[in-house]
Amino acid sequence: MTEATAGAGARPRLQRPWLQSYPPGLPAEIDADAYASLNELFEEGFRAHPKRVFAICMDRAMRFETLDALSAAFGGWLQARGCAPGTRVAIMLPNVLQFPVALAGVLRAGCVAVPVNPLYTPRELEHQLRDSGAEALVVLENFGQVAEQARARVPMRHVALAAMGDLLGLAKGAIVNHVVRRVRRLVPPFSLPGAVRFNAALAEGGRRGLRPAARIGGDIALLQYTGGTTGVSKGAVLTHRNVIAAMMQVEASLKVAIELRRPQAGPLNVVAALPLYHIYGLAGLCLPSIRSGNCLLLIPNPRDIPAFVAVLRKYPFHAFPGLNTLFNALMANPDFQRLDFSGLVFSQAGGMATQGSVAERWQQLTGCVVQEGWGLSETAAIGTNNPVTITAHDGGIGIPLPSIEVAVRDDDGHDLPPGTPGELCIRGPNVMAGYYERPDETAKVFWPDGFLRTGDVGTMDARGWFRIVDRKKDMILVSGFNVFPSEVEAVVSSHEGVLECAAIGVPDAGSGEAVKLFVVRRDPSLTEDELRALCRAQLTGYKQPRQIEFRDELPKSPVGKVLRRALREPG
């Protein structure tokens, strides 16, 4: 499958009113064909800044020259095991140094990377391995038991088994592995016959050497699986050209922010708490840093807020990609509130809608405005973003990035006038080639002119600025009136006693559906009557929650997105 699979026919350029809002220095177009493949881009990055630090994890720094050598060794091991160009290799790792080594190694060997959520159940892992046809798996030993159960049903030719202490040095690595295995008992018993330890694979691959693999822009680089929140998870086919385009779009936007807010020279320290197996962390953080020379502050477990804050206290940080739930959790920590934010020049939000109250508190605390953006796995995480010239978060998703077009369309594919809600459709060099071996599903999401149907409902104003109204699937129909959960949630989250909330539709005999609200209290004394009074004051009758349920926490995806689907499930 190549990029030509997705859309055919003439592709007339849209009117692009958003270009008038581009800040100085942001180009209207990027050259997605500047590199033949990601491998060529990697080689350039390794040559450009070998002595710079690429990543820091658990106080261990890895230079670019080390990433170059170790990824070449891992690629050499794959080739020595018979993994030919195009072989799918699953990577089931958290944010540790082994992840970028494995990822770059897979691609440099000419193989296809299949990022996997380390917290998957055996059933979920089995589906992704089977669907992708992966022949090799890189897995952290903490999840070896899950891999064992999945491997019993989906035989894997090769398994590289990593440990938390790998790449931390002999002394520290031994200590970390002892704590993980013996003290905290985070490695359940498992059996993976034939598995090769990660460091042993590096040693073997280093001896064998890497044979450069010729790749072209239309070759598959990643099979990025969708979150599966709307059904069976599908593999979005991202080609080398797709990912190169996304990297250059990120870099173009970030470069303007740096020139505007941090004129002094030097690479950025980028907080990498977002999981690298997720498209936001992978295409938005990990890969662009190879070209730009920035340093990733890897956070293996962002749910451990005290340990997370300890890292931020130790190292200066300049760019902070995150999302609403992460920002909210950090700001609730007193030690985080006392950090030095003077070096922070860029706060990026995505993955889910950022609540206005959260963005406002973040800006007050850090002095840095939240730049909200929008993208999907199918677009290599890239789509729109608020320009760096904004002075406050306004709840919108900004304007399309270079070489991207976004249209608002009705169900028949007709473009709608400014201000009219419709489905957001996107076209650009970063948009996937299609779903892996699912031509029927691919056909459903592409219009004939190459625009991808995203399932997001939004509007565009006369200036070309976009705003998400909600997901089509999440819309609640009350007596024939549309209710968008995000509107209800925005009102409720403005109450200082609310930590988190989510709204869904539930069956109702009188109105077809009614709004049900789930709330996590910040203030234990918060009452249902207080919330009802707030909703009565700010929402029309049919939008007000019929039911309110208090919970200790809300179900979330690994990247932190609230799962409304799970809230709809009985029990």
Side-chain angles (χ1 to χ4, degrees):
M1 177 182 288
T2 65
E3 190 178 12
T5 309
R11 297 186 176 192
R13 173 70 78 178
L14 287 183
Q15 294 295 318
R16 297 185 289 171
W18 51 81
L19 293 181
Q20 64 188 349
S21 298
Y22 269 26
L26 185 63
E29 306 286 344
I30 53 92
D31 183 5
D33 299 306
Y35 300 90
S37 70
L38 285 167
N39 296 346
E40 183 179 299
L41 185 149
F42 291 165
E43 297 296 337
E44 179 187 89
F46 295 147
R47 289 193 305 268
H49 26 251
K51 299 299 181 182
R52 284 187 183 178
V53 174
F54 168 74
I56 298 173
C57 183
M58 292 181 278
D59 294 327
R60 181 74 172 187
M62 174 184 284
R63 296 182 186 274
F64 277 85
E65 61 186 2
T66 305
L67 176 61
D68 180 10
L70 294 183
S71 62
F74 190 72
W77 179 76
L78 290 171
Q79 291 176 336
R81 292 286 167 136
C83 294
T87 299
R88 275 80 69 208
V89 180
I91 303 174
M92 191 174 180
L93 298 171
N95 287 19
V96 290
L97 295 171
Q98 297 92 312
F99 190 104
V101 168
L103 176 69
V106 168
L107 293 172
R108 295 176 78 184
C111 299
V112 175
V114 185
V116 177
N117 179 355
L119 299 181
Y120 266 173
T121 64
R123 180 191 60 80
E124 292 166 326
L125 175 59
E126 177 188 350
H127 165 73
Q128 191 161 331
L129 294 176
R130 189 185 304 279
D131 190 80
S132 66
E135 297 181 24
L137 171 67
V138 189
V139 61
L140 192 70
E141 64 178 6
N142 302 47
F143 315 111
Q145 191 176 85
V146 173
E148 175 188 359
Q149 295 177 54
R151 193 186 191 191
R153 294 182 289 274
V154 187
M156 303 293 298
R157 290 178 55 202
H158 312 291
V159 176
L161 189 62
M164 286 294 292
D166 293 343
L167 309 185
L168 297 181
L170 289 177
K172 181 165 186 174
I175 294 171
V176 168
N177 285 339
H178 174 75
V179 171
V180 170
R181 295 167 181 167
R182 308 280 190 268
V183 179
R184 301 183 66 185
R185 300 185 183 278
L186 297 177
V187 183
F190 66 89
S191 176
L192 289 170
V196 177
R197 284 287 173 178
F198 191 79
N199 283 351
L202 294 180
E204 180 184 344
R207 292 191 299 270
R208 297 291 191 101
L210 174 72
R211 300 186 305 276
R215 299 279 84 190
I216 61 174
D219 288 331
I220 303 174
L222 304 174
L223 288 183
Q224 188 69 39
Y225 277 74
T226 61
T229 55
T230 59
V232 176
S233 183
K234 301 181 290 291
V237 173
L238 297 176
T239 66
H240 282 258
R241 186 174 187 266
N242 291 153
V243 182
I244 289 168
M247 292 170 64
M248 298 184 74
Q249 287 157 340
V250 168
E251 186 180 73
S253 181
L254 188 57
K255 183 179 179 182
V256 175
I258 295 169
E259 292 175 349
L260 180 67
R261 299 172 180 167
R262 191 173 182 262
Q264 66 268 37
L268 299 181
N269 284 350
V270 181
V271 178
L274 298 170
L276 298 184
Y277 64 81
H278 188 273
I279 192 62
Y280 186 2
L282 182 59
L285 303 182
C286 182
L287 290 173
S289 290
I290 295 179
R291 182 170 188 256
S292 64
N294 291 330
C295 173
L296 299 177
L297 300 178
L298 293 176
I299 309 297
N301 180 15
R303 295 174 186 268
D304 186 348
I305 297 297
F308 188 170
V309 174
V311 173
L312 299 180
R313 189 186 303 114
K314 190 175 298 184
Y315 301 99
F317 52 95
H318 311 111
F320 206 127
L323 71 169
N324 189 82
T325 48
L326 179 62
F327 293 147
N328 205 16
L330 285 168
M331 288 188 292
N333 181 275
D335 291 331
F336 181 80
Q337 298 170 13
R338 291 190 285 268
L339 291 176
D340 177 9
F341 298 101
S342 61
L344 185 60
V345 297
F346 196 76
S347 296
Q348 178 66 51
M352 64 181 295
T354 304
Q355 294 168 344
S357 56
V358 171
E360 183 179 355
R361 287 189 292 119
W362 181 268
Q363 186 172 354
Q364 289 174 349
L365 176 63
T366 69
C368 189
V369 65
V370 174
Q371 312 284 149
E372 183 154 13
W374 165 81
L376 303 87
S377 296
E378 291 88 341
T379 66
I382 309 304
T384 67
N385 206 35
N386 274 276
V388 297
T389 48
I390 65 169
T391 58
H393 176 271
D394 70 353
I397 58 170
I399 55 181
L401 290 173
S403 294
I404 292 175
E405 300 167 284
V406 178
V408 181
R409 292 182 168 176
D410 63 19
D411 290 340
D412 295 319
H414 299 129
D415 290 346
L416 296 169
T420 304
E423 184 175 14
L424 297 184
C425 302
I426 183 171
R427 183 171 71 180
N430 56 305
V431 175
M432 70 170 184
Y435 293 118
Y436 185 62
E437 296 191 341
R438 292 175 184 251
D440 53 337
E441 294 294 330
T442 300
K444 290 177 184 177
V445 297
F446 278 100
W447 291 111
D449 59 359
F451 274 88
L452 173 75
R453 304 182 63 170
T454 70
D456 283 324
V457 178
T459 60
M460 182 186 76
D461 66 19
R463 303 172 302 152
W465 288 60
F466 289 83
R467 185 174 293 272
I468 295 286
V469 179
D470 224 315
R471 290 285 297 174
K472 271 188 170 183
K473 67 179 186 299
D474 289 330
M475 190 169 61
I476 305 167
L477 193 63
V478 181
S479 298
F481 292 97
N482 293 336
V483 179
F484 296 108
S486 60
E487 181 183 5
V488 179
E489 292 161 3
V491 169
V492 175
S493 67
S494 68
H495 193 292
E496 61 182 10
V498 172
L499 180 63
E500 293 181 314
C501 64
I504 65 168
V506 294
D508 183 87
S511 57
E513 281 190 306
V515 177
K516 181 174 182 179
L517 180 69
F518 296 85
V519 176
V520 177
R521 294 181 175 100
R522 183 192 307 276
D523 180 356
S525 66
L526 176 68
T527 66
E528 182 174 327
D529 287 343
E530 288 178 80
L531 292 179
R532 291 197 179 281
L534 173 65
C535 292
R536 280 197 299 272
Q538 299 195 37
L539 295 170
T540 190
Y542 67 87
K543 296 181 180 180
Q544 294 173 24
R546 188 74 56 85
Q547 305 173 38
I548 297 178
E549 179 178 326
F550 290 102
R551 289 198 174 186
D552 293 331
E553 60 180 7
L554 300 180
K556 299 185 182 72
S557 71
V559 77
K561 186 183 298 184
V562 173
L563 297 176
R564 294 194 182 106
R565 170 182 54 80
L567 291 172
R568 295 189 192 99
E569 293 173 354

XYZ file of all heavy atoms in Angstrom, residues 472-544:
548
model
N -18.928 13.415 16.332
C -20.255 13.020 15.878
C -20.856 11.949 16.778
O -22.019 11.997 17.154
C -20.174 12.475 14.450
C -20.322 13.515 13.353
C -20.418 12.824 12.009
C -20.814 13.816 10.925
N -20.982 13.148 9.618
N -20.032 10.969 17.125
C -20.554 9.829 17.874
C -20.962 10.200 19.292
O -21.701 9.481 19.928
C -19.512 8.720 17.928
C -18.283 9.074 18.736
C -17.295 7.928 18.778
C -16.132 8.223 19.697
N -15.373 9.398 19.286
N -20.449 11.315 19.814
C -20.719 11.689 21.198
C -21.919 12.631 21.326
O -22.323 12.966 22.433
C -19.487 12.356 21.819
C -18.365 11.362 22.073
O -18.652 10.185 22.322
O -17.199 11.777 22.009
N -22.457 13.054 20.204
C -23.561 14.000 20.255
C -24.793 13.355 20.910
O -25.115 12.193 20.653
C -23.903 14.465 18.846
C -24.870 15.626 18.792
S -24.954 16.314 17.118
C -25.552 14.899 16.189
N -25.462 14.112 21.766
C -26.651 13.641 22.481
C -27.868 14.289 21.847
O -27.878 15.510 21.605
C -26.555 14.009 23.976
C -25.250 13.470 24.578
C -27.756 13.469 24.738
C -24.929 14.054 25.940
N -28.884 13.492 21.551
C -30.099 14.006 20.912
C -31.223 14.032 21.939
O -31.760 12.992 22.324
C -30.484 13.128 19.720
C -31.539 13.698 18.773
C -31.022 14.976 18.099
C -31.913 12.674 17.713
N -31.591 15.223 22.388
C -32.626 15.403 23.410
C -33.841 16.060 22.767
O -33.785 17.227 22.376
C -32.110 16.263 24.586
C -33.199 16.421 25.642
C -30.858 15.649 25.191
N -34.898 15.281 22.616
C -36.143 15.799 22.016
C -35.880 16.495 20.681
O -36.468 17.538 20.366
C -36.836 16.764 22.978
O -37.191 16.107 24.171
N -34.975 15.923 19.881
C -34.674 16.491 18.572
C -33.620 17.577 18.585
O -33.220 18.067 17.524
N -33.165 17.973 19.748
C -32.132 19.014 19.854
C -30.765 18.367 20.099
O -30.634 17.443 20.908
C -32.449 19.978 20.999
C -33.658 20.822 20.775
C -34.884 20.450 21.311
C -33.585 21.990 20.020
C -36.019 21.225 21.105
C -34.704 22.761 19.809
C -35.921 22.393 20.348
N -29.758 18.882 19.411
C -28.400 18.378 19.592
C -27.769 18.975 20.846
O -27.795 20.197 21.037
C -27.525 18.739 18.391
C -27.953 18.023 17.124
O -28.570 16.968 17.188
N -27.630 18.597 15.982
N -27.184 18.102 21.658
C -26.421 18.549 22.830
C -25.010 18.002 22.688
O -24.821 16.795 22.548
C -27.043 18.038 24.148
C -26.209 18.495 25.340
C -28.482 18.519 24.287
N -24.041 18.896 22.717
C -22.653 18.483 22.610
C -22.053 18.369 24.008
O -22.044 19.331 24.765
C -21.859 19.459 21.756
C -22.325 19.499 20.335
C -23.009 20.591 19.840
C -22.101 18.420 19.505
C -23.457 20.611 18.523
C -22.541 18.432 18.191
C -23.227 19.529 17.696
N -21.555 17.186 24.377
C -21.027 16.982 25.729
C -19.987 18.004 26.140
O -19.935 18.398 27.303
C -20.417 15.574 25.652
C -21.195 14.883 24.595
C -21.498 15.938 23.571
N -19.145 18.434 25.206
C -18.079 19.367 25.572
C -18.621 20.691 26.100
O -17.995 21.328 26.946
C -17.165 19.628 24.376
O -17.892 20.188 23.307
N -19.785 21.095 25.620
C -20.370 22.346 26.108
C -20.796 22.199 27.574
O -20.530 23.067 28.402
C -21.573 22.752 25.260
C -22.218 24.073 25.705
C -23.447 24.425 24.899
O -23.857 23.602 24.063
O -24.004 25.515 25.126
N -21.463 21.080 27.879
C -21.884 20.819 29.259
C -20.659 20.725 30.160
O -20.618 21.299 31.256
C -22.722 19.526 29.332
C -23.139 19.238 30.778
C -23.945 19.623 28.430
N -19.640 20.002 29.691
C -18.435 19.797 30.488
C -17.692 21.106 30.742
O -17.134 21.320 31.819
C -17.519 18.791 29.791
C -18.092 17.383 29.767
C -17.443 16.500 28.721
O -16.500 16.977 28.044
O -17.869 15.344 28.565
N -17.693 21.987 29.756
C -17.008 23.272 29.920
C -17.668 24.109 31.020
O -16.988 24.764 31.815
C -16.994 24.035 28.601
N -18.991 24.078 31.059
C -19.713 24.828 32.093
C -19.426 24.238 33.472
O -19.077 24.947 34.423
C -21.228 24.821 31.798
C -22.009 25.351 33.007
C -21.535 25.654 30.563
N -19.559 22.931 33.599
C -19.401 22.283 34.900
C -17.955 22.400 35.397
O -17.712 22.628 36.589
C -19.843 20.811 34.824
C -19.563 20.092 36.133
C -21.329 20.728 34.481
N -16.991 22.268 34.497
C -15.584 22.321 34.916
C -15.162 23.706 35.372
O -14.113 23.860 35.999
C -14.674 21.860 33.773
O -14.715 22.775 32.698
N -15.963 24.716 35.083
C -15.628 26.067 35.539
C -15.854 26.236 37.041
O -15.379 27.198 37.641
C -16.463 27.103 34.770
O -17.837 27.005 35.122
N -16.590 25.291 37.650
C -16.815 25.338 39.102
C -15.525 24.946 39.804
O -14.913 23.922 39.498
C -17.941 24.383 39.493
C -18.453 24.581 40.885
N -17.700 24.303 42.011
C -19.654 25.041 41.349
C -18.406 24.576 43.091
N -19.600 25.021 42.717
N -15.083 25.739 40.752
C -13.800 25.502 41.415
C -13.788 24.209 42.218
O -12.718 23.685 42.546
C -13.440 26.667 42.315
C -14.442 26.937 43.437
C -14.072 28.148 44.278
O -13.160 28.879 43.883
O -14.720 28.342 45.324
N -14.949 23.669 42.519
C -15.009 22.423 43.283
C -14.941 21.175 42.426
O -14.958 20.062 42.944
N -14.852 21.349 41.084
C -14.836 20.215 40.158
C -13.411 19.972 39.679
O -12.748 20.882 39.175
C -15.760 20.476 38.951
C -15.591 19.396 37.894
C -17.205 20.555 39.407
N -12.950 18.723 39.824
C -11.642 18.353 39.299
C -11.763 17.899 37.849
O -11.017 18.362 36.982
C -11.032 17.220 40.137
C -9.654 16.727 39.686
C -8.620 17.829 39.786
C -9.225 15.517 40.502
N -12.692 16.995 37.579
C -12.927 16.487 36.226
C -14.404 16.179 36.067
O -15.107 15.921 37.041
C -12.133 15.206 35.966
C -10.640 15.370 35.922
C -9.945 14.050 35.642
O -10.302 13.041 36.271
O -9.045 14.034 34.792
N -14.854 16.164 34.810
C -16.239 15.780 34.560
C -16.371 15.253 33.138
O -15.521 15.491 32.285
C -17.193 16.948 34.787
S -16.962 18.328 33.650
N -17.463 14.539 32.895
C -17.771 14.026 31.564
C -19.272 13.881 31.442
O -19.957 13.527 32.409
C -17.087 12.684 31.326
N -19.788 14.167 30.250
C -21.227 14.076 29.996
C -21.474 13.053 28.891
O -20.727 12.988 27.903
C -21.789 15.431 29.599
N -22.522 12.273 29.042
C -22.927 11.299 28.026
C -24.435 11.359 27.855
O -25.148 11.968 28.664
C -22.511 9.856 28.399
C -23.267 9.395 29.655
C -21.006 9.740 28.596
C -23.147 7.900 29.922
N -24.930 10.697 26.804
C -26.363 10.554 26.617
C -26.842 9.218 27.139
O -26.179 8.192 26.930
N -27.962 9.217 27.840
C -28.559 7.972 28.338
C -30.003 7.910 27.870
O -30.647 8.950 27.651
C -28.495 7.889 29.882
C -27.049 7.785 30.344
C -29.180 9.083 30.537
N -30.549 6.708 27.679
C -31.938 6.583 27.214
C -32.916 7.258 28.162
O -32.757 7.202 29.391
C -32.157 5.062 27.181
C -30.790 4.481 27.071
C -29.898 5.401 27.840
N -33.934 7.891 27.575
C -34.952 8.569 28.378
C -36.305 8.374 27.703
O -36.450 8.631 26.499
C -34.632 10.059 28.506
C -35.619 10.782 29.402
O -35.391 10.807 30.628
O -36.623 11.310 28.873
N -37.295 7.935 28.472
C -38.608 7.635 27.893
C -39.280 8.862 27.317
O -40.006 8.781 26.322
C -39.502 6.997 28.955
N -39.050 10.015 27.910
C -39.733 11.211 27.465
C -39.054 11.939 26.324
O -39.714 12.437 25.411
N -37.718 11.982 26.331
C -37.003 12.812 25.354
C -36.088 12.011 24.428
O -35.347 12.598 23.650
C -36.161 13.860 26.090
O -35.264 13.245 26.999
N -36.152 10.688 24.502
C -35.276 9.878 23.669
C -33.926 9.661 24.342
O -33.525 8.546 24.623
N -33.237 10.756 24.598
C -31.996 10.731 25.356
C -32.013 11.879 26.344
O -32.713 12.886 26.144
C -30.762 10.867 24.450
C -30.325 9.621 23.727
C -28.973 9.796 23.048
O -28.821 10.754 22.259
O -28.062 8.989 23.314
N -31.242 11.721 27.405
C -31.051 12.791 28.379
C -29.569 12.853 28.722
O -28.815 11.905 28.489
C -31.883 12.532 29.629
N -29.160 13.974 29.282
C -27.758 14.167 29.640
C -27.502 13.589 31.025
O -28.226 13.878 31.980
C -27.390 15.662 29.641
C -25.937 15.864 30.081
C -27.622 16.262 28.257
N -26.448 12.756 31.106
C -25.973 12.277 32.398
C -24.561 12.809 32.609
O -23.715 12.722 31.721
C -25.972 10.753 32.479
C -25.493 10.236 33.844
C -25.628 8.723 33.986
C -25.179 8.259 35.368
N -25.327 6.793 35.555
N -24.321 13.327 33.807
C -23.044 13.960 34.121
C -22.304 13.142 35.170
O -22.882 12.736 36.180
C -23.283 15.381 34.641
C -22.066 16.213 35.021
C -21.272 16.592 33.787
C -22.508 17.473 35.782
N -21.025 12.909 34.924
C -20.135 12.248 35.886
C -19.128 13.285 36.381
O -18.521 13.999 35.564
C -19.402 11.076 35.242
C -20.300 9.965 34.785
C -20.918 10.018 33.539
C -20.541 8.874 35.609
C -21.749 8.998 33.115
C -21.375 7.843 35.189
C -21.984 7.906 33.947
N -18.934 13.347 37.690
C -18.095 14.388 38.278
C -17.109 13.784 39.275
O -17.486 12.957 40.109
C -18.949 15.467 38.981
C -18.060 16.504 39.672
C -19.873 16.151 37.978
N -15.850 14.237 39.176
C -14.848 13.953 40.201
C -14.645 15.251 40.979
O -14.315 16.285 40.400
C -13.512 13.495 39.591
C -12.475 13.273 40.692
C -13.710 12.223 38.774
N -14.879 15.201 42.283
C -14.793 16.412 43.100
C -13.342 16.835 43.349
O -12.480 16.001 43.602
C -15.454 16.192 44.464
C -16.959 15.971 44.460
C -17.416 15.808 45.905
N -18.861 15.693 46.069
C -19.500 14.547 46.235
N -18.815 13.409 46.223
N -20.813 14.511 46.400
N -13.105 18.133 43.300
C -11.886 18.705 43.856
C -12.138 19.062 45.317
O -11.295 18.867 46.186
C -11.468 19.948 43.070
C -10.142 20.574 43.533
C -9.926 21.961 42.926
N -10.052 21.956 41.496
C -9.081 21.628 40.650
N -7.898 21.267 41.125
N -9.271 21.656 39.348
N -13.338 19.594 45.570
C -13.781 19.948 46.920
C -14.751 18.867 47.402
O -15.839 18.696 46.828
C -14.470 21.312 46.894
C -14.970 21.756 48.255
O -14.857 20.973 49.237
O -15.496 22.882 48.342
N -14.409 18.115 48.437
C -15.284 17.033 48.907
C -16.677 17.496 49.322
O -17.615 16.691 49.364
C -14.525 16.459 50.115
C -13.099 16.867 49.907
C -13.160 18.197 49.221
N -16.834 18.775 49.617
C -18.135 19.267 50.071
C -19.062 19.659 48.918
O -20.209 20.055 49.146
C -17.945 20.471 51.003
O -17.395 21.575 50.293
N -18.572 19.564 47.692
C -19.390 19.929 46.525
C -20.656 19.088 46.484
O -20.612 17.867 46.648
C -18.576 19.714 45.247
C -19.313 19.962 43.922
C -19.642 21.435 43.762
C -18.456 19.471 42.753
N -21.803 19.741 46.226
C -23.085 19.039 46.213
C -23.715 19.046 44.836
O -23.392 19.872 43.979
C -24.073 19.675 47.196
O -24.398 21.004 46.727
C -23.488 19.750 48.597
N -24.635 18.119 44.632
C -25.387 18.052 43.384
C -26.197 19.330 43.171
O -26.316 19.824 42.044
C -26.300 16.833 43.406
C -27.112 16.633 42.140
C -27.894 15.333 42.172
O -27.398 14.363 42.770
O -29.001 15.296 41.590
N -26.754 19.879 44.257
C -27.563 21.098 44.129
C -26.736 22.262 43.588
O -27.237 23.071 42.784
C -28.162 21.466 45.486
C -29.291 20.523 45.904
O -29.807 19.804 45.021
O -29.638 20.503 47.101
N -25.484 22.369 44.023
C -24.633 23.447 43.521
C -24.409 23.338 42.008
O -24.451 24.333 41.285
C -23.277 23.414 44.231
C -23.280 23.846 45.683
C -21.899 23.717 46.295
O -21.075 24.621 46.055
O -21.649 22.710 46.991
N -24.174 22.108 41.552
C -23.943 21.919 40.128
C -25.219 22.168 39.325
O -25.158 22.741 38.230
C -23.436 20.494 39.876
C -22.033 20.183 40.430
C -21.654 18.738 40.128
C -20.993 21.135 39.830
N -26.340 21.755 39.855
C -27.594 22.001 39.138
C -27.876 23.496 39.027
O -28.359 23.981 38.005
C -28.750 21.276 39.835
C -28.659 19.765 39.713
C -29.969 19.084 40.038
N -29.869 17.638 39.891
C -29.917 16.993 38.740
N -30.081 17.682 37.621
N -29.817 15.677 38.688
N -27.544 24.237 40.074
C -27.743 25.686 40.031
C -26.854 26.320 38.964
O -27.279 27.222 38.221
C -27.450 26.296 41.403
N -25.601 25.857 38.875
C -24.684 26.372 37.861
C -25.199 26.070 36.459
O -25.200 26.948 35.575
C -23.301 25.738 38.066
C -22.237 26.039 36.998
C -21.886 27.522 37.003
C -21.000 25.194 37.239
N -25.676 24.842 36.240
C -26.175 24.460 34.922
C -27.443 25.232 34.552
O -27.619 25.640 33.395
C -26.434 22.956 34.868
S -24.928 21.958 34.944
N -28.301 25.432 35.526
C -29.515 26.215 35.243
C -29.167 27.629 34.815
O -29.847 28.223 33.969
C -30.413 26.255 36.481
C -31.259 25.005 36.702
C -32.391 25.266 37.679
N -31.898 25.662 38.998
C -31.587 24.832 39.973
N -31.712 23.524 39.792
N -31.159 25.279 41.144
N -28.090 28.151 35.401
C -27.705 29.532 35.086
C -27.047 29.655 33.716
O -27.107 30.722 33.101
C -26.761 30.064 36.164
N -26.442 28.586 33.225
C -25.633 28.720 32.011
C -26.041 27.815 30.849
O -25.498 27.947 29.755
C -24.153 28.451 32.353
C -23.586 29.425 33.380
C -22.080 29.389 33.440
O -21.407 29.235 32.431
N -21.524 29.532 34.632
N -26.991 26.912 31.081
C -27.408 26.013 30.009
C -28.917 26.034 29.865
O -29.649 26.052 30.855
C -26.954 24.577 30.309
C -25.442 24.309 30.350
C -25.173 22.921 30.897
C -24.833 24.471 28.966
N -29.363 26.005 28.620
C -30.804 25.933 28.391
C -31.342 24.598 28.885
O -30.577 23.648 29.093
C -31.118 26.123 26.897
O -32.523 26.272 26.728
C -30.643 24.949 26.072
N -32.655 24.504 29.056
C -33.259 23.380 29.758
C -32.852 22.013 29.245
O -32.483 21.132 30.017
N -32.904 21.799 27.909
C -32.646 20.449 27.396
C -31.172 20.046 27.505
O -30.842 18.866 27.388
C -33.136 20.316 25.946
C -32.390 21.143 24.916
C -31.245 20.657 24.304
C -32.849 22.401 24.551
C -30.571 21.401 23.347
C -32.181 23.155 23.606
C -31.049 22.657 23.006
O -30.383 23.401 22.071
N -30.284 21.020 27.755
C -28.857 20.706 27.904
C -28.475 20.370 29.351
O -27.381 19.869 29.603
C -27.998 21.882 27.433
C -28.126 22.199 25.949
C -27.217 23.355 25.567
C -27.342 23.685 24.097
N -26.469 24.821 23.707
N -29.359 20.642 30.279
C -29.023 20.431 31.682
C -29.032 18.944 32.033
O -29.900 18.203 31.564
C -30.008 21.179 32.573
C -29.912 22.689 32.436
C -30.999 23.408 33.186
O -31.561 22.875 34.153
N -31.314 24.627 32.768
